[in-house]
Amino acid sequence: MDQMSGSPVHALSPDVAGIELASDPQRGLDDDDVRQRRLEYGENLLPAARPRSAFGTFIGQFRNPLVYVLLGAIVVALAVGEWTDAGVIAAVVIANACIGYVQESRATSALARLATLMRIRSRALRSGMWSEIDSRDLVPGDVVALVAGDRVPADLRLIGTEGLCIDESALTGEAEAVAKQIAALPLDTAVADRTNMAFSGTLVVTGAGTGLVSATGAQTQLGDIHRMLRTVTEVSTPLTRRLAQLSRRLTVVILALAAMTFVLGVWRGETAADMVSAAVALAVGAIPEGLPAAVTITLAIGTSRMAHRGAIVRRLPAIETLGSTTVVCTDKTGTLTRNEMVVESVHVGGTTYPAMTAPLEQARACLVAGAACTDAVLREEQGGTARILGDPTEAAMVALARDRGMDQREILDRCPRVGRVPFTSERGWMATLHETDGGREVLVKGSPETVLAMCRDAAPDAGGSTDLDRGTVQDAVSQLSARGLRVLALASGPAVALDAAVPRDLTLLGLQAMRDPLRPESRRAIGSLQRAGIRVIMITGDHPRTAEAIAREAGVGGQSPRVLVGSDLAGDTRLGELLEGVDVIARVPAGVKLSVVRALQARGHVVAMTGDGINDAPALKQADVGIAMGRQGTEVAKDSADIVLSDDNIATLEAAVEEGRSVYDNVVKFIAWTLPTNLGEGLLVLVAILLAAPLPLTPVQILWVNMTTAVALGLTLSFEPAEAGIMDRPPRAPTSSLFPAALIVRITLVGILMVMGSFTAFWASQRLGSTLDQSRTCAVNALVAMQIGYLLTCRSLTLPLHRLHPLGNRALVLGVLATLALQGLFTYAPWMQEWFGTSPPTGYAWLLVFGLGVAVFAVVSALDAYQRSRTLSGRVRRSSV
């Protein structure tokens, strides 16, 4: 769309486009025009994203209902003069905030990267003179020159081309470079098919051209993606949604219990000050203040594991989201495929051969023509390696000749080029003229139907015949095209000179068929994802036939993948319904990719999106987890993604899903361990008030247990390895509860056991004649012992302990030893006794402490065995029905 008049310039002729843009293609703009338009339209830049401040990031760590309760507890403790309690609670809150601040991923800078991408130099015609200027100074109506290797600085309506081909894969997703022309196109032509336009951010591969700037900055196609990025909101992950719900519910329950404690105590005649202290103790005991930090650290450990498997996690919750993923929307170019064209088949002498096994006595002339009739160049790199520069299709033909022993430089030295007719989409062919020992020879390359019409005979077949069997050639073209290959024909003939006239009476040398090949690991990786219950949808800008062939080879949709065309989906209100059962979406513009992701999310799916181009950025950011390719991916795509695959290997995605499921398991294990322990600590206070008994643990002792065991015991569950069969499970339903019924029963039982055990230790110690401090110290150690016993049962919530390797989690062993050492200091160190009010229990009390820990382990293990047997019986009954 023309930025000045709003007209669709691709539908206008070059002359009319110049009039609409008020520009003279022969002279360009004058300085006064440039100044006026810069004032009106601004610089050719995209607005940069405003980063979140460090202070804002730190303050964000306190936005949690559970933290609000702890902050309130600090205020109350200070009001009643409990300075030690207030200090310890404040230390816990600040420590958790610091951990969250350090671990939180940096805000994405996709908009800033897009703006940087446009900072390039351009050749512009102004006041009749060509000059090099910063691309930010371009304005609508400027005349810009393009040559091979240039990055297009703005959206241009082309007015002149000479063999101009542009790589638009980063914008449209198409692997093949697009041949450009200048004729007007229909008004409804899709962006990917606007061959008379050059789009900002794309790369000139071959040829040259000139164009009128039709749009700059935010008004370009790149700007459209920029606007989509600005409208994309951060998507909460399944885990964060469940934890937010858990936090809200716990906050309500804890505040209700604290209020109940205060009211009951005052009603029983206790002083208000004492009951405020008791209510604070209950709130502090019941709140799992280590939960936010524990979840963050668990995710960070998963991030470290992922880095060793080739995936860099930019946003911590994304690693868990992979474990919940129900749909993977994968880009084709550069993700499933290698993003480089390779000649797969050669048709010579009436027979189609694999490219590397075609007999050279028949294929040599065809391969030599492919290496000579081209603008691609073979260039020596440091270290003796060779690099082919130019159009990917032409580069594939040069590479094939090289691999079959025919070096391009030697060919051109032997048969130097003396003339050239560049390829254009209108012409459909290119030609080069060469000096040979037998005189001048023309080589022609182009679409099979065009080149075939130029030929009168064919290169000799195995029997020496030179008859041209057009039907056989056309059948070969049809068969190769049906496989999703791009087919080019090559021909030669004698010539004296070369002009734009169509050559005649040529000899058909053969066909070369190429494509962007599938990565070797793609089929296995997709199969693994599908076995894990994850649906795979391939989204690409390629032609439907090409997309279907790649999908079939990769195993997406089996042998009959269902294909939809992206342009047919734009604006369809039934998009979500149409996507059910679809395996491939072809010809997809960037906006439709974003709509596809949103439609799937609206139907309750957890969506992972892979991609590497600029056109993928909005969908990557919108997806529940965006996954970019690290090597071939654009910086915009990487900065919009949550995870970057450093090796561009889609098989790494399979490992990432496995790690994501393991992380989720370990987070649930921590929650299953910490909730009953905190529940028990809170109920201790409430039960003591109901029984009019002394508190078995003081508030500061409760905080000690929370701080030490959450780190030394609970966090060790983060290091549990993935359980056997983790990839055989179906994905978790996005709406599934964090706590199934069996886990609720488990948490409730353990919470009751913690209360009963702590009171038993406290009262038994008192009956043995211990002081109040000794009895409370005994209760603290009993509580820790029971937490250790329960911890061993939390290593797996599905398998019995004897099925796990004893040293499979060495961190857990070290954590238990560290906890025992800390409890020794807590009990016997004089400075600890003074601060926490502790006193060493008697020898008999220690036996009781050990016995309570063993008892909790035995009871929970028995419960787990019973629940597993019921689950197994249910499966047997269902399978027999």
Side-chain angles (χ1 to χ4, degrees):
M1 190 72 73
D2 171 19
Q3 190 171 346
M4 296 176 63
S5 66
S7 302
V9 291
H10 69 273
L12 306 177
S13 68
D15 291 339
V16 176
I19 295 172
E20 285 287 331
L21 292 166
S23 178
D24 180 359
Q26 305 303 319
R27 179 177 174 79
L29 299 176
D30 293 331
D31 291 342
D32 290 341
D33 293 329
V34 172
R35 280 193 293 271
Q36 181 180 351
R37 297 187 189 194
R38 186 174 297 127
L39 288 173
E40 184 174 355
Y41 303 112
E43 290 188 321
N44 181 30
L45 292 174
L46 297 176
R50 186 174 182 178
R52 187 183 182 189
S53 68
F55 178 75
T57 301
F58 182 74
I59 292 298
Q61 309 306 315
F62 295 90
R63 292 174 184 149
N64 184 294
L66 295 176
V67 176
Y68 296 156
V69 176
L70 287 175
L71 293 174
I74 294 172
V75 173
V76 172
L78 290 173
V80 298
E82 297 290 344
W83 299 99
T84 300
D85 291 359
V88 174
I89 299 171
V92 171
V93 172
I94 293 173
N96 285 334
C98 289
I99 293 173
Y101 174 80
V102 171
Q103 292 291 348
E104 183 176 308
S105 300
R106 292 178 299 175
T108 57
S109 57
L111 301 179
R113 290 287 189 183
L114 277 168
T116 302
L117 183 61
M118 298 185 67
R119 297 281 299 277
I120 52 180
R121 305 289 293 178
S122 305
R123 290 187 69 238
L125 179 65
R126 289 184 175 172
S127 301
M129 299 286 292
W130 287 100
S131 60
E132 187 175 275
I133 63 173
D134 193 314
S135 67
R136 70 164 71 184
D137 295 329
L138 291 174
V139 296
D142 260 324
V143 179
V144 175
L146 300 174
V147 295
D150 284 352
R151 191 170 294 279
V152 180
D155 283 1
L156 308 179
R157 172 58 169 94
L158 296 170
I159 57 175
T161 62
E162 183 181 349
L164 181 64
C165 291
I166 297 180
D167 179 1
E168 297 180 345
S169 61
L171 186 66
T172 67
E174 288 201 54
E176 296 180 11
V178 179
K180 296 296 183 177
Q181 52 88 33
I182 63 172
L185 296 170
L187 185 64
D188 59 352
T189 303
V191 171
D193 297 324
R194 293 178 187 174
T195 53
N196 60 5
M197 298 289 296
F199 297 113
S200 177
T202 59
L203 184 66
V204 178
V205 176
T206 59
T210 55
L212 294 168
V213 174
S214 61
T216 59
Q219 301 304 313
T220 62
Q221 289 295 321
L222 200 61
D224 288 343
I225 295 176
H226 173 272
R227 282 192 295 277
M228 284 188 279
L229 282 172
R230 291 176 71 105
T231 62
V232 171
T233 57
E234 292 292 333
V235 179
S236 61
T237 71
L239 181 63
T240 57
R241 289 194 292 267
R242 292 183 177 103
L243 290 179
Q245 185 182 49
L246 172 64
S247 296
R248 289 191 295 269
R249 290 179 177 176
L250 282 177
T251 299
V252 172
V253 171
I254 291 168
L255 290 176
L257 289 176
M260 185 187 303
T261 298
F262 178 82
V263 172
L264 283 175
V266 172
W267 179 70
R268 296 179 66 93
E270 302 289 342
T271 65
D274 288 342
M275 288 306 95
V276 167
S277 180
V280 168
L282 184 146
V284 169
I287 290 177
E289 60 269 5
L291 179 58
V295 171
T296 301
I297 292 172
T298 302
L299 294 174
I301 292 170
T303 297
S304 177
R305 289 176 175 174
M306 285 296 299
H308 287 94
R309 304 181 77 168
I312 300 168
V313 179
R314 300 183 66 253
R315 195 168 65 92
L316 288 182
I319 191 172
E320 175 275 329
T321 309
L322 276 175
S324 305
T325 297
T326 59
V327 176
V328 169
C329 295
T330 177
D331 187 39
K332 178 190 76 70
T333 305
T335 305
L336 294 179
T337 62
R338 287 157 41 184
N339 198 23
E340 60 181 41
M341 300 297 285
V342 173
V343 178
E344 289 198 351
S345 297
V346 174
H347 180 86
V348 290
T351 305
T352 300
Y353 301 94
M356 293 303 295
T357 60
L360 285 180
E361 58 269 20
Q362 293 175 254
R364 182 179 299 276
C366 180
L367 301 186
V368 167
C373 183
T374 179
D375 290 324
V377 179
L378 186 66
R379 184 171 295 172
E380 286 285 349
E381 298 285 327
Q382 290 184 348
T385 61
R387 181 185 177 198
I388 301 174
L389 303 177
D391 176 78
T393 299
E394 294 188 324
M397 303 173 89
V398 175
L400 174 62
R402 179 197 61 191
D403 294 342
R404 296 302 303 271
M406 288 160 271
D407 185 81
Q408 182 192 43
R409 288 160 298 187
E410 294 179 1
I411 294 171
L412 294 178
D413 287 343
R414 188 170 61 249
C415 306
R417 179 190 296 184
V418 294
R420 169 180 175 271
V421 175
F423 176 88
T424 65
S425 56
E426 301 97 335
R427 192 178 291 130
W429 55 272
M430 77 167 289
T432 55
L433 186 64
H434 299 264
E435 292 280 7
T436 70
D437 293 340
R440 289 192 170 186
E441 182 180 32
V442 63
L443 299 177
V444 177
K445 173 185 68 185
S447 65
E449 51 276 8
T450 302
V451 174
L452 199 58
M454 304 176 184
C455 297
R456 68 176 180 182
D457 58 13
D461 59 17
S465 173
T466 60
D467 292 339
L468 177 57
D469 188 340
R470 298 180 186 273
T472 299
V473 175
Q474 290 168 347
D475 288 345
V477 172
S478 298
Q479 292 171 7
L480 293 169
S481 299
R483 290 164 48 193
L485 302 179
R486 183 187 184 192
V487 185
L488 293 178
L490 297 108
S492 67
V496 176
L498 191 61
D499 55 34
V502 177
R504 297 295 180 189
D505 299 328
L506 300 180
T507 297
L508 181 68
L509 301 178
L511 307 174
Q512 292 193 35
M514 62 213 68
R515 66 166 177 166
D516 183 10
L518 192 73
R519 290 178 180 271
E521 61 275 6
S522 292
R523 185 176 182 87
R524 185 194 62 79
I526 287 174
S528 297
L529 293 172
Q530 291 172 335
R531 285 192 298 275
I534 299 172
R535 179 180 165 204
V536 179
I537 301 176
M538 190 178 84
I539 302 179
T540 177
D542 278 338
H543 189 279
R545 184 170 56 192
T546 303
E548 181 180 0
I550 285 290
R552 187 183 301 109
E553 184 181 358
V556 177
Q559 291 303 306
S560 301
R562 184 184 172 196
V563 182
L564 288 182
V565 178
S567 58
D568 295 340
L569 301 178
D572 197 315
T573 57
R574 301 177 299 114
L575 179 57
E577 181 182 341
L578 290 173
L579 290 174
E580 293 300 327
V582 170
D583 303 301
V584 180
I585 308 175
R587 286 293 191 196
V588 180
V592 172
K593 285 187 178 185
L594 181 59
S595 299
V596 166
V597 172
R598 285 174 169 165
L600 289 168
Q601 289 172 331
R603 294 182 73 85
H605 288 291
V606 177
V607 182
M609 169 76 186
T610 73
D612 61 358
I614 298 172
N615 63 317
D616 297 323
L620 287 172
K621 191 172 182 181
Q622 174 65 39
D624 295 277
V625 54
I627 305 164
M629 302 295 126
R631 290 182 180 174
Q632 298 188 26
T634 61
E635 290 302 312
V636 176
K638 286 185 277 189
D639 285 350
S640 296
D642 304 298
I643 295 175
V644 178
L645 304 185
S646 61
D647 55 3
D648 284 11
N649 190 340
I650 193 174
T652 306
L653 181 58
E654 175 196 355
V657 171
E658 179 182 340
E659 194 61 48
R661 292 186 174 189
S662 176
V663 163
Y664 183 88
D665 281 357
N666 290 346
V667 169
V668 172
K669 290 170 187 177
F670 177 84
I671 294 174
W673 176 83
T674 194
L675 284 190
T677 58
N678 286 103
L679 175 66
E681 292 164 10
L683 290 178
L684 276 174
V685 178
L686 181 60
V687 172
I689 298 300
L690 289 173
L691 299 178
L695 291 177
L697 282 75
T698 63
V700 73
Q701 288 173 345
I702 291 175
L703 265 177
W704 163 262
V705 174
N706 281 358
M707 289 179 61
T708 57
T709 60
V711 175
L713 296 181
L715 282 183
T716 63
L717 294 171
S718 304
F719 295 89
E720 282 293 333
E723 296 182 12
I726 196 170
M727 288 298 285
D728 295 331
R729 309 175 191 166
R732 295 183 308 277
T735 56
S736 65
S737 171
L738 192 63
F739 303 106
L743 188 56
I744 293 175
V745 171
R746 193 181 207 258
I747 290 173
T748 304
L749 174 63
V750 174
I752 294 172
L753 290 176
M754 294 287 176
V755 174
M756 293 176 59
S758 298
F759 268 107
T760 297
F762 179 77
W763 286 332
S765 182
Q766 292 236 294
R767 286 184 175 276
L768 291 172
S770 300
T771 64
L772 181 61
D773 287 348
Q774 285 180 313
S775 299
R776 283 176 168 165
T777 305
C778 180
V780 170
N781 282 290
L783 182 60
V784 172
M786 289 185 289
Q787 291 185 9
I788 293 174
Y790 180 49
L791 178 73
L792 298 178
T793 70
C794 290
R795 288 194 59 195
S796 174
L797 300 179
T798 58
L799 300 173
L801 186 61
H802 68 81
R803 292 275 303 275
L804 306 178
H805 193 287
L807 298 179
N809 186 351
R810 296 187 179 182
L812 186 142
V813 177
L814 295 175
V816 171
L817 294 176
T819 299
L820 295 176
L822 287 171
Q823 285 306 117
L825 288 173
F826 175 82
T827 304
Y828 293 104
W831 58 276
M832 295 283 273
Q833 291 175 350
E834 181 177 352
W835 196 4
F836 289 99
T838 59
S839 182
T842 63
Y844 291 107
W846 283 116
L847 290 177
L848 178 60
V849 167
F850 177 77
L852 287 170
V854 172
V856 168
F857 172 78
V859 171
V860 178
S861 296
L863 173 66
D864 288 346
Y866 171 72
Q867 290 180 333
R868 280 193 297 271
S869 66
R870 287 194 60 185
T871 301
L872 182 60
S873 298
R875 290 175 182 170
V876 171
R877 284 195 301 270
R878 286 193 296 271
S879 63
S880 63
V881 172

